[in-house]
Amino acid sequence: MSIVIPRELRPADGRFGSGPSKVRPEQLDLLRDLGTDVLGTSHRQEPVRALVREVRSSLHDFLGAPEDYEIVLGNGGSTLFWDVATFSLIRERSVHGVCGEFSSKFAAAVAAAPFLAEPVVTRSVPGEVDPLSAVPGADTYAYAQNETSTGAMQPVRRVTGADAGALMLVDATSGAGGLPVDLREADVYYFAPQKSFASDGGLWLAAMSPAALERTATISSSDRWIPPSLNLQTAVDNSRLDQTYNTPAVATLALMVSQLRWLQAGGGLDFAVARSAESSRRLYDWVEHTSYASAFVADPAARSRVVATVDFDDAIDAALLARTLRENGVVDTEPYRALKRNQLRIGMYPSVDPDDVSALTACIEYVVQRIA
Ligand SMILES: *Cc1c(COP(=O)(O)O)cnc(C)c1O
């Protein structure tokens, strides 16, 4: 190892990934507790169904969901949910706000569907977010609350002037649990557990409004061919029974339950949002006062509180910086590949201790003094 960061400068936990993200060591206790009587048992029986029930009811509470919203889940992660939405939620024409890699993938999935009209796609410059405008005739609007590839966030709001009954689909994969939300502003607020919920990937979860549930039922009973595993009605039916259509990863559910218990005990969504806000405040303050670093997202209001992207002067090789941090146990600060920037990307989900973010900035300074 070429550069050794003194131990006293290093964060207590060096995981700053944007997903999968830090799993708190305490979460493993529940996994161990369930290790011999719940892990490795049937997902159709009460012990695993109890986990699913807790995930659903706890999330409903944590997200402050209106009474008539339902938490629905299934296997496959957020990427799979784009296909679910393509088959089961969009009636004919959708509008997509594309501001990076993730939002562009959903738009591409819809554009390729032969049974849907060509979607209307609004593209933002990477690092920016533009609120969607109403398009007459559009029945679905889609955007990301937090674009994880660029570190830009936007508030969850209904599109002004949209047709009556148009659904608002919000990709909250990295926003849910770390950013504020009023679920009345969304019809489908969907995410996966490997970001703020500090679990493993492979599951999708969605808070669905009555309008979204009704759209799902209508499309499901229409003559559209829907692959069974992508049929949202099937997921709704199974979720209501605290089950999934096919076998879930039980450990993923358990890790998510333990994280939800911790978040709820701390004070719920306000607590979670405040943790990430404090971490990001420390990071952006440091960037502000550091001559060789700058925030990639120009508009301070759009700078994500859960995933920060920090550009470095050309004199500093950010890839070497990330590699050196990694050699010292400070991992996953590499930027999103496709962005091709001389930058670091830092995940600051609620599990991350704000003090560890402060330690990270000290580590960056230590390494930069030796590689610049
Ligand atoms: C991580 C992420 C995804 C992809 O999630 P998977 O569960 O890996 O499919 C999608 N959208 C956003 C905004 C993300 O951050």
Side-chain angles (χ1 to χ4, degrees), residues 16 81 140 147 153 236 256 348:
F16 295 96
F81 190 79
T140 306
E147 178 44 77
M153 66 174 186
V236 169
M256 181 154 191
M348 299 167 297

Side-chain angles (χ1 to χ4, degrees), residues 18-20 76-82 101-103 105-106 143-149 171-175 190-195 200-204 307 336 345 349:
S18 299
S78 291
T79 301
L80 186 122
F81 190 79
W82 294 327
E101 204 54 25
F102 291 108
S103 37
K105 281 185 176 166
F106 186 17
Y143 63 92
Q145 181 182 24
N146 189 75
E147 178 44 77
T148 321
S149 65
D171 180 348
T173 310
S174 56
Y190 64 92
F191 50 94
Q194 72 273 22
K195 305 202 178 174
D200 264 328
L203 202 68
W204 60 258
V307 175
Y336 200 80
R345 183 176 61 149
Y349 299 115

Side-chain angles (χ1 to χ4, degrees), residues 131-354:
L132 286 174
S133 302
V135 174
D139 57 76
T140 306
Y141 291 80
Y143 63 92
Q145 181 182 24
N146 189 75
E147 178 44 77
T148 321
S149 65
T150 66
M153 66 174 186
Q154 59 188 318
V156 174
R157 287 212 191 105
R158 289 191 180 275
V159 174
T160 323
D163 287 6
L167 297 181
M168 304 293 148
L169 273 48
V170 180
D171 180 348
T173 310
S174 56
L179 298 181
V181 68
D182 175 357
L183 280 187
R184 275 175 290 263
E185 297 289 330
D187 292 293
V188 183
Y189 186 77
Y190 64 92
F191 50 94
Q194 72 273 22
K195 305 202 178 174
S196 280
F197 297 101
S199 182
D200 264 328
L203 202 68
W204 60 258
L205 300 118
M208 293 178 63
S209 72
L213 291 162
E214 191 186 315
R215 174 82 65 85
T216 300
T218 308
I219 291 180
S220 160
S221 57
S222 72
D223 56 8
R224 180 184 292 175
W225 173 72
I226 305 178
S229 65
L230 301 178
N231 192 328
L232 187 51
Q233 187 60 48
T234 304
V236 169
D237 294 342
N238 276 280
S239 298
R240 285 174 177 160
L241 298 171
D242 298 319
Q243 298 191 35
T244 48
Y245 176 52
N246 64 320
T247 318
V250 180
T252 301
L253 291 167
L255 286 174
M256 181 154 191
V257 161
S258 61
Q259 179 73 347
L260 278 165
R261 286 180 188 171
W262 178 71
L263 291 170
Q264 290 290 55
L269 185 58
D270 289 346
F271 158 74
V273 167
R275 283 265 292 187
S276 289
E278 174 61 16
S279 288
S280 61
R281 187 191 62 74
R282 294 191 192 191
L283 185 73
Y284 293 125
D285 273 2
W286 174 80
V287 168
E288 203 76 11
H289 294 105
T290 303
S291 59
Y292 52 79
S294 55
F296 170 56
V297 176
D299 175 7
R303 283 176 198 157
S304 172
R305 299 193 212 142
V306 282
V307 175
T309 42
V310 180
D311 279 343
F312 285 83
D313 279 1
D314 289 344
I316 296 150
D317 178 353
L320 174 60
L321 173 55
R323 203 158 57 239
T324 307
L325 290 170
R326 179 174 290 281
E327 286 169 355
N328 284 273
V330 178
V331 303
D332 295 343
T333 61
E334 288 83 2
Y336 200 80
R337 307 168 304 274
L339 216 51
K340 298 194 171 73
R341 306 275 308 183
N342 189 44
Q343 85 177 187
L344 296 186
R345 183 176 61 149
I346 294 149
M348 299 167 297
Y349 299 115
S351 290
V352 171
D353 188 329

